[in-house]
Amino acid sequence: MDDGVSGARFDRAAFQEMIEQVRNGEIQVIITKDYSRLGRDYLEVGKYMECLFPLLHVRYIAVNERYDSDNYAGKTGGMEVGIKNIINMMYSRDASKKVMAARKVLTEQGKFIGSFAPYGYVKYLGDKHRLVPDPEAAEVVKRIFTLAAEGKKYKEIARILNEAGVETCLDYQKSHGRERKHGTEIKVHQWSATTVMDILYNEVYIGTIVNNRIEQNQRTGYKSKRREPEKWTVVENCHEPIVSRELYEAAHEKLNRKSQAKKVRSGNSSARLFLCGCCGHALIKRHGKYKCPANLNPTELNCSEVKMDAEIFENTVLTYLRVTAESFLQDLEKKRVIQKETQGNGPDVKIISQKIKNLENRKFQAYDDYTREKMSREEMRNLRDRLQEEINTLNETLAAREKELAALSPVPDVSEEELTVIAGLSEFNPEAIRVLVRNITLFEDGNIEVVWNMDDFLKDA
C-alpha cells in the first residue's frame, strides 16, 4: 500500500517493490481497478503497459476499462489507452490544484492542517482543523513557560522535568494512544534542551497558527523546501491559548535568544558520530572533555560517568582507525596480486556482460518487429523465450565468475582512496572519519566501540 503518496509519482515504495518482483519473475498478472490505479503519468504508464509488461510476459488487466493485455482487440493499447491515461494525468494535476487551493483557504482562516496536534493540544472531535487544550499536557507546557520566565535555561528545565518523571512528548502520545514514528532511535527517552526550546518558541501555545512554512508538491519534486518567513501564513486568536502572551513574552525576555536561525554545521561536525554507551545520546565536547549531556537518574544509568579527556579520546580513536585502515590496505594489495593471477584462468566478465546486453537488445528488437507486424505475437514470444534461456545461462555463468572474483576483491563498499585518507590522517577530522564510520560509542568503563558503515568490514582483514 502507498497510502498518502501521490499516484502521479512512480517512486512509490510499494510500487517499486512490485516492479522489482515483476523483474524477478515473481509476478505474472497485475490487476487494477482502472489505468489510473497504475499511475497518472501517461508516458510512464504507457512505458509499463507497452514495453515492460509485454517484455517480461506479465499480463495486465484494468477491470473498469475492460482491458486485458492477453485478449485485446488491437496490437497494443493504442490511442484509446493513451487518451485515457492523458485524462488521468490531467485529472491528477487538477485535483492537486484544488487540494492546494482548499489548503490555502484553510490556512488563511487560521485552521490547523497538520497531521498531528502539537504537544499540549488535541484535535476537536467535531472539527479536525480546530485545536483544544489537552489538560494534562497543557499543564506541562505552562510549567515550561513559567520556569523559563523565572530565568531557567533550556537544559535546566529539561533536567527538572526528567527528575520529576514527566513523560516526554513521544511517550505521552504513546501512552494516550497517539503514537508517532520517530526517526532517531535512542535507548532512553528524556526531555532535552532542544525539545524545551521548540515548545518555548512555538506560537501555537498563545493561540496563533503558523502555516505554509514548508512547500512540498509536484513543482518541488515532492521535496520539502522551507519557505522564507515573510511567505508564512500567520493568523492569531485561532484557538484557546495555553499560556498568556504576557507569560510568553516574559519567558522570551529571560531567555534573551537573539536569533532562531538554524545553525549551519561546520565542516568538522561530529553530530551523532560519538554516542553515549549508556543512553545512546550524542556526546558533546566541552571544557576539554567528551561527555554525555543527559541528566538521567544515576541509580538507573551512569551517563555522568561516560566522559573522557578529549585529547585521549581523539588520539585513541585516530590511532585505531589508522592502524585498521592500514591493515586493510595491505590485505587489499595481497588480494590484488592474487586476483591478477586468477583473472586469466576463466571467462572474461566484460565479454559475458556484453553478450547479455546484445541478447537483451535482440529481445527489444523482437518486440519492435511485432509492433511493426513483421512477425506474429506467437513468433515474437517464442523468439524472446529462446533469447531469455540464453540470457539465463549467461547470467549463471556471470554470477559464478563474479563470485569467484569477489572472493579476491576488496569489499564493494570500501574504496582504496577512502582507506588511504583514513590511514594517512595526521589530525582528528570527524568528517573524514564519517566516510567509513557510522558511529563511535564511549562506555562508562572507558571502552570504545566503532561501528563501520559497511558490513563485515573487518571480517577477512
Side-chain angles (χ1 to χ4, degrees):
M1 293 290 290
D2 278 317
D3 292 336
V5 183
S6 172
R9 302 172 58 178
F10 284 84
D11 60 350
R12 312 190 304 267
F15 182 83
Q16 289 301 318
E17 181 182 354
M18 179 189 74
I19 294 301
E20 184 63 25
Q21 291 177 324
V22 167
R23 295 181 187 277
N24 294 335
E26 300 172 13
I27 294 178
Q28 286 75 45
V29 181
I30 294 177
I31 303 176
T32 63
K33 178 182 176 182
D34 51 45
Y35 300 140
S36 68
R37 297 302 91 193
L38 184 65
R40 290 177 179 163
D41 183 320
Y42 78 99
L43 291 176
E44 286 294 317
V45 171
K47 182 186 76 173
Y48 287 108
M49 290 179 59
E50 304 294 338
C51 298
L52 184 64
F53 294 163
L55 182 65
L56 299 178
H57 295 200
V58 173
R59 180 181 181 184
Y60 174 60
I61 299 172
V63 178
N64 286 355
E65 312 290 358
R66 297 183 178 180
Y67 175 86
D68 183 344
S69 60
D70 271 10
N71 185 26
Y72 196 72
K75 293 289 183 182
T76 64
M79 185 174 293
E80 176 189 347
V81 174
I83 291 175
K84 287 185 177 180
N85 284 330
I86 291 175
I87 293 173
N88 289 333
M89 184 182 71
M90 294 175 65
Y91 170 80
S92 175
R93 292 181 176 178
D94 183 59
S96 177
K97 290 179 181 179
K98 289 179 179 178
V99 169
M100 291 176 66
R103 287 174 64 89
K104 182 179 180 182
V105 172
L106 290 173
T107 58
E108 290 174 349
Q109 293 175 348
K111 301 290 186 179
F112 181 77
I113 57 175
S115 301
F116 301 94
Y119 178 75
Y121 283 102
V122 293
K123 292 183 179 181
Y124 184 62
L125 291 178
D127 184 359
K128 65 179 181 180
H129 299 299
R130 176 185 167 192
L131 297 176
V132 293
D134 180 352
E136 186 177 347
E139 287 301 316
V140 177
V141 173
K142 289 179 184 177
R143 186 178 181 184
I144 291 173
F145 277 93
T146 301
L147 289 170
E150 292 173 357
K152 299 291 191 300
K153 301 302 181 182
Y154 310 130
K155 191 173 180 179
E156 293 178 86
I157 297 173
R159 184 175 64 250
I160 291 171
L161 296 176
N162 288 325
E163 291 175 349
V166 178
E167 285 185 310
T168 64
C169 300
L170 289 174
D171 288 340
Y172 180 81
Q173 301 286 18
K174 181 178 180 180
S175 65
H176 286 71
R178 302 191 292 268
E179 184 175 4
R180 297 169 59 180
K181 292 183 180 179
H182 195 264
T184 304
E185 293 185 5
I186 55 177
K187 299 176 183 177
V188 178
H189 290 170
Q190 65 163 358
W191 285 90
S192 66
T194 302
T195 303
V196 171
M197 183 183 70
D198 288 342
I199 289 176
L200 288 171
Y201 282 88
N202 193 337
E203 295 180 69
V204 72
Y205 298 115
I206 55 174
T208 299
I209 291 290
V210 181
N211 283 316
N212 289 332
R213 295 184 183 183
I214 303 296
E215 182 178 18
Q216 184 188 49
N217 49 42
Q218 286 182 328
R219 188 176 62 81
T220 66
Y222 296 98
K223 295 181 179 179
S224 296
K225 294 186 178 181
R226 189 175 180 83
R227 288 190 173 99
E228 296 296 325
E230 56 268 19
K231 295 183 179 180
W232 297 354
T233 303
V234 182
V235 183
E236 299 180 349
N237 303 318
C238 298
H239 52 263
E240 180 184 345
I242 290 178
V243 298
S244 65
R245 183 170 290 277
E246 291 75 21
L247 178 57
Y248 183 88
E249 293 176 352
H252 282 229
E253 184 178 352
K254 287 289 185 180
L255 292 170
N256 192 27
R257 186 165 182 244
K258 296 180 179 180
S259 173
Q260 296 185 52
K262 184 177 181 180
K263 293 183 179 179
V264 178
R265 292 177 179 174
S266 60
N268 62 347
S269 168
S270 60
R272 298 297 301 172
L273 178 60
F274 309 127
L275 305 179
C276 170
C278 287
C279 67
H281 281 78
L283 301 180
I284 61 172
K285 182 180 180 181
R286 184 174 297 169
H287 305 308
K289 290 183 180 294
Y290 281 94
K291 58 183 181 179
C292 178
N295 294 301
L296 298 176
N297 188 339
T299 61
E300 299 176 0
L301 293 170
N302 291 325
C303 289
S304 60
E305 298 300 319
V306 179
K307 56 187 176 182
M308 183 178 288
D309 180 83
E311 185 176 356
I312 296 175
F313 178 81
E314 292 177 357
N315 286 338
T316 301
V317 170
L318 187 57
T319 300
Y320 170 73
L321 295 180
R322 283 196 305 228
V323 170
T324 303
E326 182 61 38
S327 298
F328 204 77
L329 282 170
Q330 293 174 2
D331 187 63
L332 292 180
E333 182 60 31
K334 293 178 183 178
K335 288 184 176 181
R336 187 180 292 109
V337 173
I338 299 173
Q339 182 184 24
K340 188 175 181 180
E341 296 173 351
T342 307
Q343 281 179 338
N345 300 326
D348 188 280
V349 170
K350 291 183 179 180
I351 294 177
I352 300 175
S353 299
Q354 185 58 49
K355 287 182 178 179
I356 294 174
K357 184 178 179 180
N358 293 339
L359 291 172
E360 291 285 3
N361 290 336
R362 288 178 62 188
K363 283 178 62 178
F364 279 107
Q365 183 60 48
Y367 181 77
D368 186 61
D369 290 342
Y370 160 66
T371 59
R372 296 173 183 272
E373 300 185 0
K374 292 182 179 181
M375 64 172 63
S376 67
R377 187 184 187 91
E378 188 64 28
E379 290 174 331
M380 182 263 300
R381 284 193 169 183
N382 290 337
L383 176 58
R384 284 210 334 245
D385 287 341
R386 290 197 302 272
L387 293 173
Q388 187 61 51
E389 288 180 5
E390 294 183 45
I391 291 173
N392 291 340
T393 301
L394 287 173
N395 277 328
E396 291 176 4
T397 303
L398 180 62
R401 181 58 175 165
E402 288 179 339
K403 184 177 180 180
E404 178 185 359
L405 295 176
L408 303 170
S409 299
V411 178
D413 292 332
V414 185
S415 76
E416 187 172 356
E417 291 77 14
E418 292 168 346
L419 288 169
T420 303
V421 169
I422 297 297
L425 279 179
S426 58
E427 295 181 356
F428 191 75
N429 186 331
E431 284 306 302
I433 293 173
R434 194 189 295 276
V435 173
L436 292 180
V437 174
R438 184 177 305 155
N439 54 61
I440 299 171
T441 302
L442 175 63
F443 296 90
E444 57 186 299
D445 58 4
N447 285 327
I448 296 173
E449 178 185 74
V450 177
V451 178
W452 299 87
N453 275 325
M454 63 293 298
D455 296 329
D456 299 327
F457 177 73
L458 301 174
K459 182 177 180 181
D460 301 316

